[in-house]
Amino acid sequence: MVDAEWDKVNFRRDLSVTIARMLTNDRPDPVDLPNDFPEGFTTRLAQLMPPEGVTSTIESLSGIDVVALRANTLLAPAEATFAELAAMGIDFRRVEWSSCAATIRAEQKLQLTTSAAVLTGRVYVQALSSQLAPLVLDPQSGETVLDLAAAPGGKTLQMAAMMGGLGSLAAVEPVAKRWFALRDNIRRASAEGFVKLYRTDGREVGRKTPERFDAVMLDAPCTSEARFVAGDPTSWRYWGPKKIAESARKQKALLRSAIDATRIGGRIVYATCSFAPEENEAVVDHTLRRLGDAVLVESFELPVGNTQPGITKWQGKSYAADVALSQRIIPSRYLTGFYLAKFVKLKSTRKPNSGLP
Ligand code: SAM
């Protein structure tokens, strides 16, 4: 075995021992804990997932080997785009659950991102976990769809392609710099005639456009724990209990707005790239308690193996049983961490008529 492979084996073994000790309350010395992350982070992970999940999460945050992409069928058939990538010498692997998705080795990322295919919008670099969220929402041609937290636009563009440019798609982003990045990506993909952009706070949208949309995507702003980079403190600069609580407050208001903006019978997908239950299951639980039988959490299938049902207990609190129908994607070298919940709206949530809080 070459040295790098031995390092990987040793890393996995050391990590497993540390995690096993954390779980059995046999507290390791502080020096034993993986110290490539902010204090308390790995302990929380160990309370959230089985040891092998923690190992694969830490490995994933220590460096993803693959970069994922999506062929934009608004501009060219996927097969033509993949032929173009092959002609450039890009060594890609198609993904079995999507005719538009592929992965490449990280070493070829620069070649891809500087290629005409990316610069002119035929290819969009987008994590595979991120590509699963629109598949769960499943927007159809002719529907009226809203992306409530849209920049830089990966999911907006994927949904535009899934809808074949038929129907209507609104994308909301309040942060100026990110709104401009979204606009540029929409233009690059030649989707500006189809996607209507709004620079506004998503929390206001439900009140302004109640019960208008068939389907709403809320890929919420979060602490981005699944994007932490081992050993890089800038990637978790603002992380901590205060930031998690602040994020959760905003997420609850955004999810309420997303549901208010959905027509009766419509569907909503709530997603984050955080592992924190406060930003995931607790937001779903809060929403169910507030809205009673006006919404239900719907189960859904994911075409990937590394998943875990939403947790129903965290730090002494119990969540509604249906929260277990949401899903966590445990990170691996192939998939980044993600949380997904799907709702169906059954009754009006308009405040004056519904009597709901
Ligand atoms: N869906 C995007 C994609 O696939 O490219 C990524 C969205 S990112 C996880 C969350 C976005 O929510 C950020 O662009 C952030 O600026 C935006 N955001 C923050 N506060 C918001 C608010 N009050 N209303 C709507 N969006 C907000």
Side-chain angles (χ1 to χ4, degrees):
M1 219 187 274
V2 293
D3 285 353
E5 283 169 333
W6 270 119
D7 285 350
K8 268 188 198 170
V9 171
N10 289 332
F11 174 73
R12 286 188 81 97
R13 198 197 48 219
D14 294 348
L15 207 53
S16 301
V17 169
T18 302
I19 292 159
R21 292 172 67 183
M22 288 159 94
L23 287 172
T24 55
N25 284 334
D26 173 15
R27 310 294 306 165
D29 297 337
V31 287
D32 280 345
L33 286 165
N35 59 3
D36 282 349
F37 298 100
E39 202 187 326
F41 177 67
T42 44
T43 312
R44 280 171 64 93
L45 287 185
Q47 290 163 353
L48 277 171
M49 38 179 110
E52 59 279 14
V54 183
T55 307
S56 93
T57 300
I58 292 177
E59 278 190 346
S60 163
L61 302 180
S62 305
I64 284 262
D65 298 325
V66 300
V67 172
L69 60 92
R70 184 175 49 76
N72 174 16
T73 53
L74 289 171
L75 287 179
E79 294 312 318
T81 301
F82 285 119
E84 179 183 353
L85 295 183
M88 283 167 56
I90 300 264
D91 180 18
F92 58 85
R93 298 241 164 111
R94 300 285 290 266
V95 170
E96 63 202 21
W97 46 263
S98 166
S99 57
C100 301
T103 58
I104 61 165
R105 282 177 290 112
E107 303 92 85
Q108 287 200 304
K109 183 175 180 185
L110 186 63
Q111 189 189 353
L112 178 75
T113 52
T114 53
S115 69
V118 166
L119 298 177
T120 56
R122 289 188 298 287
V123 166
Y124 192 93
V125 173
Q126 185 179 353
L128 291 181
S129 299
S130 161
Q131 295 188 43
L132 289 170
L135 299 188
V136 174
L137 188 66
D138 196 21
Q140 303 290 311
S141 296
E143 284 193 320
T144 301
V145 178
L146 169 66
D147 189 345
L148 195 58
K155 294 177 194 66
T156 311
L157 285 170
Q158 185 182 349
M159 293 195 291
M162 289 170 78
M163 295 167 74
L166 296 172
S168 106
L169 178 55
V172 169
E173 171 60 48
V175 179
K177 204 169 151 207
R178 294 183 65 87
W179 187 90
F180 284 112
L182 170 67
R183 186 197 61 182
D184 291 349
N185 282 330
I186 302 282
R187 281 187 182 160
R188 192 171 295 119
S190 290
E192 67 268 50
F194 178 56
V195 182
K196 298 277 172 293
L197 293 183
Y198 298 89
R199 198 163 127 199
T200 189
D201 189 323
R203 289 171 289 194
E204 297 299 315
V205 172
R207 190 176 52 76
K208 289 183 184 159
T209 55
E211 312 203 325
R212 179 173 300 181
F213 297 93
D214 297 305
V216 178
M217 170 66 68
L218 173 55
D219 181 22
C222 67
T223 54
S224 302
E225 291 182 350
R227 301 254 172 90
F228 286 2
V229 178
D232 176 8
T234 59
S235 67
W236 59 75
R237 198 178 321 155
Y238 306 109
W239 185 83
K242 211 169 137 204
K243 183 69 191 168
I244 293 174
E246 187 188 303
S247 245
R249 268 195 300 280
K250 190 185 242 193
Q251 289 154 346
K252 286 171 187 163
L254 280 168
L255 182 53
R256 174 64 195 259
S257 175
I259 292 169
D260 286 345
T262 306
R263 70 164 172 80
I264 297 168
R267 55 211 190 276
I268 303 104
V269 163
Y270 175 73
T272 78
C273 61
S274 172
F275 303 112
E278 295 87 340
E279 299 184 75
N280 297 329
E281 290 89 347
V283 173
V284 173
D285 178 68
H286 168 90
T287 303
L288 291 178
R289 289 181 199 278
R290 274 289 171 97
L291 296 182
D293 58 1
V295 282
L296 62 77
V297 184
E298 193 172 71
S299 63
F300 56 91
E301 299 277 327
L302 287 176
V304 294
N306 246 21
T307 60
Q308 184 184 313
I311 62 164
T312 51
K313 279 193 171 64
W314 175 248
Q315 296 189 339
K317 288 191 184 132
S318 293
Y319 303 139
D322 281 359
V323 169
L325 300 175
S326 64
Q327 297 196 52
R328 292 172 161 261
I329 298 176
I330 310 283
S332 62
R333 293 216 165 259
Y334 168 76
L335 286 167
T336 48
F338 226 68
Y339 174 79
L340 289 160
K342 183 179 185 186
F343 297 87
V344 175
K345 181 163 172 174
L346 302 176
K347 290 184 179 169
S348 176
T349 54
R350 282 182 196 237
K351 284 182 190 168
N353 306 334
S354 65
L356 289 163

